[in-house]
Amino acid sequence: MNGDALMPLPGAPAAARAYRFRAGVARVSRPGGMVLVAPEDGRALRVSAVAQDLLPLLADGASFDELLARLRERHPRAGDAESKLRAFLDQLDRSGLLGTAAEKPMRRVATARWPLIDADPLARAVARVLQRLPQPAGWLLLGLLGAAALAAV
């Protein structure tokens, strides 16, 4: 999925989409900073000190405008906050840390399918005939049908 499709265009109203971490995303504090770890495959993404201020909002789910307002409130001197926020959200999305499985449908791989005949009516007809015969004759007929099928294969 292209991250540009998730971000609002400059000057356009922000989408109503709530940016949220996937279920199970772990925050791990390291000496070099905080790291976010994806639950499924363990992919990790290092988070800057500035981006750490956005993590509580992302855990609860927040719109682009809310994230931008928090960023501007906490870091008023940060230049070009909007494009940096877009880049950060795109990075989270590419790492598989944003959203839910329902928001990201898996691609279906086309598989070969062969139509099979419905053997049910034939099996029912054979069963009706076998039930009417005496037991030894039914077993003999069933054995002959099985041998014929095996010989055909």
Side-chain angles (χ1 to χ4, degrees):
M1 175 179 278
N2 185 357
D4 295 338
L6 300 174
M7 308 304 155
L9 296 172
R17 179 182 192 264
Y19 295 94
R20 175 176 303 204
F21 285 131
R22 285 189 112 106
V25 170
R27 293 184 235 177
V28 181
S29 295
R30 301 279 178 177
M34 183 165 294
V35 177
L36 299 173
V37 181
E40 292 90 20
D41 56 7
R43 285 188 287 178
L45 179 69
R46 183 173 308 206
V47 180
S48 69
V50 174
Q52 286 182 25
D53 292 337
L54 302 176
L55 297 184
L57 289 176
L58 288 169
D60 296 334
S63 70
F64 185 83
D65 288 338
E66 291 170 330
L67 293 168
L68 187 59
R70 169 71 65 96
L71 192 58
R72 287 183 174 155
E73 170 191 320
R74 297 273 173 106
H75 305 279
R77 287 201 235 155
D80 202 16
E82 195 171 332
S83 67
K84 288 179 181 175
L85 178 59
R86 276 195 194 98
F88 175 62
L89 291 172
D90 186 47
Q91 210 175 17
L92 288 173
D93 186 53
R94 282 185 278 125
S95 298
L97 298 170
L98 273 187
T100 62
E103 291 176 35
K104 294 183 174 189
M106 293 179 62
R107 288 187 193 169
R108 268 207 142 164
V109 178
T111 57
R113 293 184 182 203
W114 296 284
L116 299 176
I117 59 168
D118 185 17
D120 229 17
L122 178 64
R124 284 190 180 133
V126 170
R128 268 186 294 212
V129 170
L130 290 177
Q131 285 176 343
R132 291 183 189 149
L133 295 175
Q135 190 174 9
W139 282 110
L140 179 66
L141 184 58
L142 185 62
L144 288 173
L145 284 173
L150 188 60
V153 172

